[in-house]
Amino acid sequence: MLTKRIIPCLDVKGGRVVKGVSFVNLIDAGDPVEIAKVYDEQGADELTFLDITASHEERGIILDVVRRTAEQVFMPLTVGGGIKNLDDIRNLLLAGADKVSINTTAVHDPEFIKAASMRFGSQCIVVAIDAKRVVAHDKDFKPPLTWADDPKYRALFLSNSTLHTPHSALKWEVYTHGGRKPMGIDAVAWARKMEEYGAGEILLTSMNQDGQKTGYDLELTRAVAEAVTIPVIASGGVGNLEHIYEGFTKGKADAALAASIFHFREYTIRQAKEYLKERGVAVRL
Amino acid sequence: MIAIIDYGMGNLRSVQKGFERMGHEAVVTRDPKTILDASKVVLPGVGAFPDCMRNLEQFGLIDAVHKSIRSGKPFLGICLGLQLLFTESEEFGISKGLDIIKGRVIRFKGPAFGTPREACPRTSQSGALETLKVPHMGWNSLSIKRRPPALGETPENSYVYFVHSFHAVPEDRSVIATTTPYGFEFVSSIWKDNVFAVQFHPEKSQALGLSILKRFGEQKG
């Protein structure tokens, strides 16, 4: 049967792997190609690179990392960070990436996801959603999105925006720019919209949990996983193997992304899979 | 030498690198003569069925595919390269395929699969709803019915990497080499004479996938 995927994620900055705690305090964790090889040997199901420098001048660095990795590792490779146009996608695919993950550009220009999936196929377009639990609603907040004023989108925006439903059950807001900018969009509605626009997969990160090592936001993961018919990758917060197990069972995720527990050799991928298998989760060993 | 047919779709370098890693020389080409001169031919493919057929036509490669297959040399189809061999596909209406294998390529459908949201609104409260996601993406197992040379001693229930929303339904069930469970047993590879075609991606299936490319490269032309 189709197995649940374990995806180690390498946050790459200036050609080196780093892992931050809630996107600050970056700690150097090594060479991406060497780490990719270790994960390949351990039986990782896929690999994700997130280029967190993502300034446009430095795109050559990530392309080189992707090229060198794809020479050595024969498993699916996703690359995200700083993708702004169709050429960026094409260059990454040609360098050896199988999928690209898009966040900020999708929020600013949803039509981009339509164009990208038409051109390259849904199978290689992953939409990354950074979502944060809403603790306080700011009535005066204006979403920084030009398309949000377009009547075509207003229905989605008004019915789902956290701004207009201060007492509703809507709980998670989409953020961009590495979790710095709130967008006033409901994360679950956004995931559905992106599926409609041709996304082949959702990479869902809880901004609250990321780097905390206290587990995924299971409620968020489940809400999104049940709202879309495309696969959902849970991300943000794994501190131990039970967290991954819960992501699959309670969170209903199709894949689990984790970074630091694998980088710092707290667990190997094989240990994670053995743990899951013992508990009845279908994994590839 | 192995010719990998390039018709402007997908990342063909990874197929080439897979062969190279296994010690087989492979070229990515859209030159019909190179394809006809090669000892083995690979038809890869990622993307939409009608686009791929149109590109094959535009690059004048349809004849080269037919001739390669007729010549009897080992031929490997990968993912969309399997689907294109069939009579037709229902991706974006009905599109004609190469019609080398009789049958149709259809979308994963039925009660077990998620339907587009517009047709079937769901809420996060209805926790009981369990559906299979489309695309079928990830590692799934092979149930081996017949053993073409490229499969060799590949163990039953080996895991390989899939990513697709459509699957092939051959009229003649005897061409099936492997099936894979996803709601039902779908056809994950076919084998007819010199043609072996797989729905999964051997070039993305780590050591097991590379072993399939290795054995394909070792076949006598």
Side-chain angles (χ1 to χ4, degrees):
Chain A
M1 65 188 288
L2 184 68
T3 53
K4 297 289 188 183
R5 286 171 282 155
I6 304 286
I7 308 176
C9 175
L10 311 182
D11 287 2
V12 180
K13 190 173 201 285
R16 298 284 292 177
V17 174
V18 294
K19 180 60 195 172
V21 176
S22 292
F23 289 79
V24 291
N25 298 329
L26 303 172
I27 302 163
D28 194 290
D31 175 48
V33 183
E34 290 307 311
I35 295 175
K37 274 159 73 178
V38 172
Y39 288 149
D40 187 34
E41 281 154 25
Q42 291 180 3
D45 295 311
E46 291 185 26
L47 201 60
T48 291
F49 285 161
L50 285 181
D51 182 13
I52 58 171
T53 27
S55 75
H56 236 66
E57 308 79 71
E58 292 179 42
R59 292 218 64 83
I61 301 176
I62 191 73
L63 288 176
D64 181 58
V65 169
V66 171
R67 211 171 285 123
R68 287 190 293 124
T69 306
E71 297 282 339
Q72 311 250 6
V73 168
F74 293 90
M75 69 172 142
L77 174 63
T78 304
V79 183
I83 291 163
K84 293 194 168 51
N85 52 52
L86 295 176
D87 276 346
D88 290 340
I89 299 178
R90 191 180 137 76
N91 290 338
L92 284 167
L93 296 179
L94 286 177
D98 297 287
K99 313 182 210 179
V100 293
S101 141
I102 302 165
N103 180 352
T104 301
T105 306
V107 176
H108 284 271
D109 177 16
E111 299 289 327
F112 178 64
I113 296 303
K114 249 187 208 167
S117 60
M118 293 262 276
R119 167 99 179 264
F120 303 105
S122 288
Q123 85 291 334
C124 69
I125 306 299
V126 181
V127 169
I129 301 177
D130 288 347
K132 205 171 197 170
R133 267 176 197 269
V134 176
V135 285
H137 297 274
D138 176 3
K139 282 196 193 65
D140 300 323
F141 177 81
K142 287 287 276 181
L145 298 167
T146 45
W147 61 262
D149 294 326
D150 185 328
K152 206 165 53 163
Y153 297 106
R154 196 159 290 149
L156 168 99
F157 205 74
L158 293 183
S159 62
N160 295 303
S161 171
T162 54
L163 305 168
H164 300 276
T165 52
H167 304 295
S168 80
L170 294 166
K171 287 178 181 165
W172 301 278
E173 183 175 7
V174 173
Y175 276 64
T176 60
H177 296 84
R180 293 189 300 274
K181 295 193 184 171
M183 288 292 128
I185 309 170
D186 176 68
V188 178
W190 181 241
R192 286 180 167 174
K193 183 152 204 74
M194 288 295 95
E195 172 181 18
E196 216 176 281
Y197 274 36
E201 202 170 28
I202 301 287
L203 167 56
L204 179 67
T205 303
S206 160
M207 302 301 303
N208 307 82
Q209 294 305 101
D210 195 68
Q212 297 302 318
K213 306 197 126 210
T214 52
Y216 297 117
D217 184 334
L218 296 172
E219 208 187 333
L220 166 69
T221 307
R222 182 167 185 153
V224 173
E226 289 183 342
V228 296
T229 64
I230 51 178
V232 173
I233 306 166
S235 159
V238 170
N240 60 43
L241 301 181
E242 194 187 346
H243 293 152
I244 297 179
Y245 173 75
E246 286 176 337
F248 290 138
T249 52
K250 294 183 184 157
K252 306 276 175 193
D254 300 283
L257 187 120
S260 53
I261 67 159
F262 298 132
H263 293 339
F264 297 114
R265 318 253 158 113
E266 288 161 45
Y267 303 96
T268 64
I269 306 243
R270 174 159 283 274
Q271 281 174 322
K273 288 189 167 183
E274 279 163 359
Y275 177 95
L276 292 165
K277 192 174 187 179
E278 277 166 26
R279 283 156 188 79
V281 176
V283 289
R284 178 181 66 112
L285 266 173
Chain B
M1 206 236 341
I2 300 164
I4 300 165
I5 302 179
D6 173 19
Y7 50 103
M9 307 288 286
N11 171 24
L12 308 180
R13 268 294 285 152
S14 60
V15 178
Q16 186 187 24
K17 279 179 303 189
F19 279 118
E20 285 170 358
R21 172 59 71 93
M22 294 294 106
H24 298 303
E25 198 194 335
V27 291
V28 174
T29 180
R30 59 177 61 164
D31 170 37
K33 187 173 181 305
T34 311
I35 295 167
L36 293 174
D37 288 347
S39 60
K40 298 166 198 83
V41 174
V42 180
L43 183 63
V46 170
F49 189 103
D51 290 350
C52 286
M53 274 308 287
R54 196 168 46 239
N55 282 13
L56 275 179
E57 218 162 297
Q58 257 172 21
F59 294 133
L61 294 170
I62 289 186
D63 192 45
V65 172
H66 279 290
K67 276 188 182 145
S68 301
I69 289 175
R70 267 204 308 271
S71 76
K73 60 189 168 197
F75 187 97
L76 176 65
I78 297 176
C79 193
L80 203 69
L82 171 148
Q83 299 182 1
L84 292 169
L85 300 177
F86 279 77
T87 311
E88 59 187 15
S89 165
E90 61 173 37
E91 189 171 357
F92 298 110
I94 298 292
S95 313
K96 290 279 165 221
L98 295 166
D99 199 24
I100 288 157
I101 307 286
K102 296 283 173 216
R104 196 175 219 204
V105 177
I106 62 173
R107 196 181 157 84
F108 281 109
K109 59 192 165 193
F113 297 95
T115 44
R117 189 180 58 82
E118 308 85 83
C120 173
R122 289 187 287 165
T123 63
S124 53
Q125 282 85 358
S126 61
L129 250 169
E130 294 278 345
T131 52
L132 296 173
K133 303 286 177 97
V134 179
H136 170 232
M137 186 187 284
W139 297 79
N140 205 337
S141 53
L142 296 178
S143 167
I144 300 173
K145 311 296 175 198
R146 292 156 68 231
R147 284 190 182 275
L151 270 188
E153 294 306 304
T154 301
E156 179 74 7
N157 284 323
S158 291
Y159 281 99
V160 287
Y161 188 81
F162 290 89
V163 51
H164 60 123
S165 300
F166 291 77
H167 66 95
V169 183
E171 274 172 25
D172 176 5
R173 307 283 294 172
S174 74
V175 301
I176 297 170
T178 65
T179 62
T180 294
Y182 198 56
F184 58 96
E185 291 283 329
F186 77 88
V187 176
S188 50
S189 72
I190 54 144
W191 174 34
K192 190 184 177 194
D193 306 323
N194 55 322
V195 177
F196 179 46
V198 297
Q199 183 59 66
F200 52 90
H201 288 273
E203 78 283 11
K204 293 289 159 189
S205 298
Q206 293 175 338
L208 191 119
L210 292 181
S211 76
I212 292 173
L213 296 183
K214 181 170 192 284
R215 282 187 295 262
F216 176 77
E218 286 165 354
Q219 277 178 248
K220 293 282 170 283

